[in-house]
């Protein structure tokens, strides 16, 4: 059922010695990113809230003999101690060359019309998908190397109506705006800040559940693009808004804002 994972290491984009944090590294997309970064020789710090899922990630990657080094750490974006926890990571690993934010929460409310959400469901969705990203940016940006990159992975719900999942869609649109605003505020002074909007992704979890389509984007294809961005190579290295929605087309720039 599962297609073999293939990872490309771009010429001139090896990440030997680079340290990259993948927040949500044990998730479906995050795992593909972790694998590509390890294949490029990076020191990868994969974080998540579930220690068991992180251990599973480490066990799978340990059997592959990839040249990079994987560390796993429990990290909760909504914890009061987030800033101190990220500071501790920076003391342990030094300034980060890349930070990938791959977090999302579908909540436990199921699919509902927008105005059927109660206050608690609405707030939970905003916390899980918007406030968490804001807090991660605030904690990680000051600890990222000036030549590094902070990248948020987002979905097409940032741009289109998403009936039945209003809180998820609104949060996606808001984090897209937040990322582009941070990029504009920095204006090239400090780490690059990038928003990557994704189409449907083939993940290990979806394949195991029997949900798959060869036309979807492989998680490791996204990871290969992340390798380029961390290395600062390729035509999109300095592009704040990018889209990867079509497997055959590959990553492309979004519209420029002035």
């Amino acid at each position: 059922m599962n297609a073999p994972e293939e990872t490309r290491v771009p010429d001139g984009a090896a990440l030997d010695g680079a340290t990259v944090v993948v927040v949500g590294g044990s998730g479906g997309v995050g795992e593909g990113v972790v694998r590509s970064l390890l294949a490029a020789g990076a020191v990868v710090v994969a974080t998540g809230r579930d220690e068991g899922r992180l251990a599973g990630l480490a066990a799978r990657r340990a059997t592959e003999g990839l040249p990079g080094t994987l560390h796993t750490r429990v990290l909760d974006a909504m914890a009061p101690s987030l800033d101190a926890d990220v500071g501790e990571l920076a003391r342990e690993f030094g300034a980060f060359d890349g930070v990938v934010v791959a977090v999302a929460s579908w909540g436990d409310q199921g699919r509902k019309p927008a105005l059927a959400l109660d206050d608690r469901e609405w707030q939970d969705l905003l916390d899980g998908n918007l406030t968490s990203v804001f807090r991660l940016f605030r904690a990680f940006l000051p600890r990222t190397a000036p030549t590094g990159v902070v990248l948020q992975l987002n979905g097409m719900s940032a741009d289109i109506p998403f009936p039945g999942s209003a809180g998820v869609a609104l949060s996606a649109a808001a984090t897209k705006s937040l990322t582009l605003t941070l990029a504009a505020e920095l204006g090239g002074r400090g780490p690059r800040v990038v928003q990557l909007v994704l189409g449907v992704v083939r993940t290990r979890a979806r394949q195991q559940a029997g949900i798959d389509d060869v036309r979807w984007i492989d998680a490791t294809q996204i990871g290969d693009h992340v390798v380029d961005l961390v290395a600062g190579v390729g035509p999109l290295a300095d592009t704040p808004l990018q889209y990867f929605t079509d497997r055959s087309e590959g990553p492309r720039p979004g519209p420029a804002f002035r």
Side-chain angles (χ1 to χ4, degrees), residues 179-200:
T179 306
L180 296 177
T181 298
L182 290 173
E185 288 179 346
L186 285 171
R189 301 177 303 275
R192 290 164 289 137
V193 179
V194 175
Q195 168 82 179
L196 179 59
V197 179
L198 303 172
V200 184

Side-chain angles (χ1 to χ4, degrees), residues 26 75 89 152 165 188 191:
S26 59
L75 188 73
L89 289 178
Q152 191 219 350
S165 297

Side-chain angles (χ1 to χ4, degrees), residues 1-90:
M1 180 190 307
N2 292 355
E5 292 177 303
E6 296 182 359
T7 302
R8 170 190 63 83
V9 180
D11 292 340
L15 298 180
D16 289 344
T19 300
V20 185
V21 179
V22 183
V23 183
S26 59
V29 177
E31 180 166 357
V33 172
V34 167
R35 188 178 192 277
S36 293
L37 290 167
L38 290 173
V43 175
V44 181
V45 184
T47 78
R49 294 181 297 176
D50 188 316
E51 190 168 3
R53 292 183 64 181
L54 290 170
L57 169 70
R60 287 187 294 276
R61 300 285 77 97
T63 64
E64 296 180 318
L66 298 171
T69 303
L70 176 62
H71 303 270
T72 60
R73 298 289 186 272
V74 174
L75 188 73
D76 184 348
M78 293 302 294
S81 61
L82 176 66
D83 190 70
D85 295 338
V86 173
E88 184 59 36
L89 289 178

Side-chain angles (χ1 to χ4, degrees), residues 154-156 197-202 206 217 222 243-246:
N154 210 338
M156 283 298 296
V197 179
L198 303 172
V200 184
V201 180
R202 299 177 78 193
R206 280 179 172 157
I217 306 160
I222 299 164
Y243 286 79
F244 194 170
T245 57
D246 184 280

